[in-house]
Amino acid sequence: GVQTCALPIYPGSGGKPKRWAADRFADLARRVPSPLVMLGPAEDGLASHFEGLPVAKDWPLRKVVATLAAARAFVGNDSGVSHLASYLCPTLALFGPTDPKVWAPAGPFAEVIATGDLARLATEEVASRLI
């Protein structure tokens, strides 16, 4: 079922350079209340980073949308899921090499952290925006 007030975390993205490290997403998930790690087929290799955490794997889009609509917040990389979330709940999108002036989510709930280099983005900085 839908986890109302969960904090969905989406560590995937269409391109690896656009991904914040999976171990940092896992660390973030362990720091925030009610995390729900969302993984699609493209994130198959990331599941091992999230042992012991609630994981939603390969959910149908309608269930993803329902979960985002009920979420208190969402955090993810520069990805399609982040764009979708930005129309449904407070969204924190993490941007590295891509230009947020061009590619940032356009929804009314979007906030962006743009670093140029996601390796420099500390877990504490992301967590402080969510807690």
Side-chain angles (χ1 to χ4, degrees):
V2 173
Q3 294 197 16
T4 304
C5 297
L7 195 152
I9 295 171
Y10 184 70
S13 182
K16 286 189 179 180
K18 298 193 302 183
R19 290 183 187 171
W20 194 40
D23 59 342
R24 293 199 184 169
F25 270 114
D27 185 29
L28 177 68
R30 289 181 174 91
R31 294 176 186 222
V32 298
S34 305
L36 176 65
V37 179
M38 303 180 104
L39 301 173
E43 290 78 46
D44 210 27
L46 300 182
S48 63
H49 294 274
F50 302 101
E51 301 269 334
L53 290 164
V55 173
K57 187 158 173 31
D58 298 337
W59 277 8
L61 187 56
R62 70 184 178 284
K63 192 169 183 180
V64 170
V65 168
T67 300
L68 293 173
R72 64 180 182 80
F74 167 90
V75 62
N77 294 309
D78 173 14
S79 69
V81 177
S82 294
H83 284 268
L84 179 62
S86 76
Y87 287 92
L88 298 168
C89 65
T91 297
L92 185 58
L94 311 181
F95 273 69
T98 50
D99 185 351
K101 290 183 187 110
V102 177
W103 299 107
F109 303 112
E111 181 181 345
V112 171
I113 295 179
T115 67
D117 179 5
L118 287 170
R120 294 185 307 190
L121 181 58
T123 306
E124 294 77 21
E125 184 177 347
V126 178
S128 71
R129 304 266 189 114
L130 297 169
I131 298 172

